[in-house]
Amino acid sequence: MSEAVSTLKVAPQVTPQLSPQTQSLNSIVRHNWNLKEVNALFAMPFSDLMFKAQTIHRENFNPNEVQVSTLLSIKTGACPEDCKYCSQSARNKTDLEKESLLAVEKVLEAAQKAKEMGSTRFCMGAAWRNPKERDMPYVLEMVKSVKALGMETCMTLGMLSVEQADRLNDAGLDYYNHNLDTSPEHYNQIITTRTFQDRLDTLGNVRSAGMKVCSGGIVGLGEKANDRASLLIQLANLSPQPESVPINMLVKVEGTPLENVDDLDSFDFIRCIAVARIMMPKSHVRLSAGRTAMNEQMQAMCFLAGANSIFYGCKLLTAENPETNQDIALFEKLGINTETIVDDSAASDKILNTAIVDQQNSDLFYNASV
């Protein structure tokens, strides 16, 4: 086990409190947003938009605290879907090597390292259209083992049936990630192998099972401004709204149909973060993929706009991500603390050690078939 990097601790900041009347107006959660009013938010003068987003952010969160997650690819490549942005699609001519499902033991080691680096949530992603029955015992054991560390758990495995969602919930999965990716209007230009409604159905199954929802999208896919507004409307009008909303900047991958798409303007991206914060005041808005293309000043503007979650680690599935030490250095410059969760470390260590002893001779510690 590598030596842990100490997490940053900055002196607590006093957050200005607004009047109850102002709080109730700004913090109301709505599910009836329409395109006209969302486009009006995007069209606001930049400083006014940032002020509005920061005001709402401060009402609902500590403005100097960011939730930190780590994302691990537990099964890489050979996905049958045709997502035009994705390096893992079998239909795209990328150089990505196909890998089988990771052993539970390897996932557990990665989760322990992530916890030592300061992550509070461990996210596991598999390049599947949907999990097969043969995969479920391994996936469920991963959830139980990571939970034993005292971390929050999240998975993204593609579409889920009602029964699969129930089993994941019973295993203790906290969050399920299933992004809408883009607007309903632009969707068929990006993906044709599953429908927009398929995605909504999976989110419904996740909610019905009792898990929290992590759902966002990707901007910079060649979409129009209306599409960015429409995507946020779809997310905000979910009831309840997603607890976690990742906003991804397209990472262009050679060999995918979108490798030469025009870059999205930086201010347009920051506006997406700000409008997401305004529309979903109580959700964690995650500054997700694409951060390697953002300088520190742009990331700082995103935090000012209301982003309060990131991924630690050098990889997001197969996409590049800033090194953890870079993020710690940036947080120090900005006076940002990492969010913590209550954790009885002694109890967690005991549970973890017991789980390892119990499972060392189990087939669950070997690669599952592709």
Side-chain angles (χ1 to χ4, degrees), residues 214-275:
C214 174
S215 186
I218 308 169
V219 295
L221 297 171
E223 76 281 352
K224 298 175 182 177
N226 265 0
D227 293 310
R228 294 190 283 278
S230 178
L231 168 64
L232 294 182
I233 289 171
Q234 291 292 320
L235 293 166
N237 287 353
L238 292 172
S239 185
Q241 292 180 344
E243 285 82 2
S244 183
V245 181
I247 305 295
N248 299 274
M249 174 84 85
L250 175 67
V251 177
K252 291 185 280 190
V253 178
E254 186 177 353
T256 64
L258 296 180
E259 64 175 304
N260 295 315
V261 70
D262 291 339
D263 291 337
L264 184 70
D265 182 82
S266 297
F267 285 104
D268 287 338
F269 182 84
I270 298 168
R271 284 180 181 273
C272 286
I273 297 289
V275 175

Side-chain angles (χ1 to χ4, degrees), residues 8-190:
L8 176 69
K9 293 295 178 185
V10 179
Q13 303 291 317
V14 177
T15 303
Q17 296 297 309
L18 302 178
S19 68
Q21 293 84 0
T22 306
Q23 286 184 355
S24 63
L25 288 173
N26 283 331
S27 298
I28 188 170
V29 176
R30 291 177 48 194
H31 306 285
N32 61 345
W33 291 93
N34 62 62
L35 191 60
K36 181 178 179 180
E37 60 187 332
V38 176
N39 277 335
L41 289 176
F42 273 100
M44 288 178 69
F46 187 75
S47 60
D48 292 346
L49 177 64
M50 293 291 282
F51 180 79
K52 184 176 181 67
Q54 178 65 194
T55 299
I56 291 174
H57 184 53
R58 284 174 175 269
E59 284 183 22
N60 295 283
F61 294 96
N62 182 336
N64 300 308
E65 192 170 78
V66 170
Q67 186 274 328
V68 176
S69 300
T70 293
L71 176 60
L72 174 71
S73 178
I74 60 173
K75 190 273 178 186
T76 303
C79 180
E81 304 285 11
D82 68 350
C83 307
K84 290 185 178 179
Y85 55 80
C86 188
S87 64
Q88 301 201 66
S89 171
R91 301 166 188 243
N92 294 334
K93 300 184 184 303
T94 65
D95 294 329
L96 188 71
E97 292 187 13
K98 180 176 72 173
E99 298 176 4
S100 58
L101 187 66
L102 284 181
V104 177
E105 184 179 35
K106 297 295 184 183
V107 174
L108 192 55
E109 289 174 358
Q112 177 65 53
K113 182 178 180 181
K115 182 179 180 181
E116 292 171 356
M117 299 292 279
S119 291
T120 58
R121 187 180 308 162
F122 192 69
C123 307
M124 295 158 272
W128 289 326
R129 175 177 171 81
N130 55 277
K132 303 294 190 293
E133 178 54 38
R134 67 189 181 194
D135 305 310
M136 287 302 291
Y138 302 91
V139 166
L140 297 175
E141 190 62 27
M142 289 175 189
V143 173
K144 294 173 184 177
S145 297
V146 174
K147 286 284 285 187
L149 288 173
M151 300 184 78
E152 292 179 326
T153 52
C154 180
M155 281 194 158
T156 177
L157 312 171
M159 295 184 290
L160 290 183
S161 67
V162 172
E163 187 262 349
Q164 288 172 330
D166 286 338
R167 290 171 70 184
L168 286 167
N169 181 63
D170 291 343
L173 188 64
D174 297 298
Y175 289 81
Y176 192 80
N177 167 261
H178 200 61
N179 289 334
L180 297 183
D181 281 358
T182 189
S183 69
E185 298 80 9
H186 188 60
Y187 186 85
N188 287 340
Q189 298 179 52
I190 303 299

Side-chain angles (χ1 to χ4, degrees), residues 7-13 54 57-58 62-68 287 296 299-310 312 327-339:
T7 55
L8 176 69
K9 293 295 178 185
V10 179
Q13 303 291 317
Q54 178 65 194
H57 184 53
R58 284 174 175 269
N62 182 336
N64 300 308
E65 192 170 78
V66 170
Q67 186 274 328
V68 176
L287 181 57
E296 290 185 336
Q299 292 185 64
M301 290 293 284
C302 288
F303 293 132
L304 189 64
N308 62 338
S309 178
I310 64 163
Y312 262 173
D327 288 326
I328 292 173
L330 177 58
F331 284 2
E332 186 172 17
K333 292 178 183 178
L334 299 179
I336 287 177
N337 286 309
T338 56
E339 229 179 50

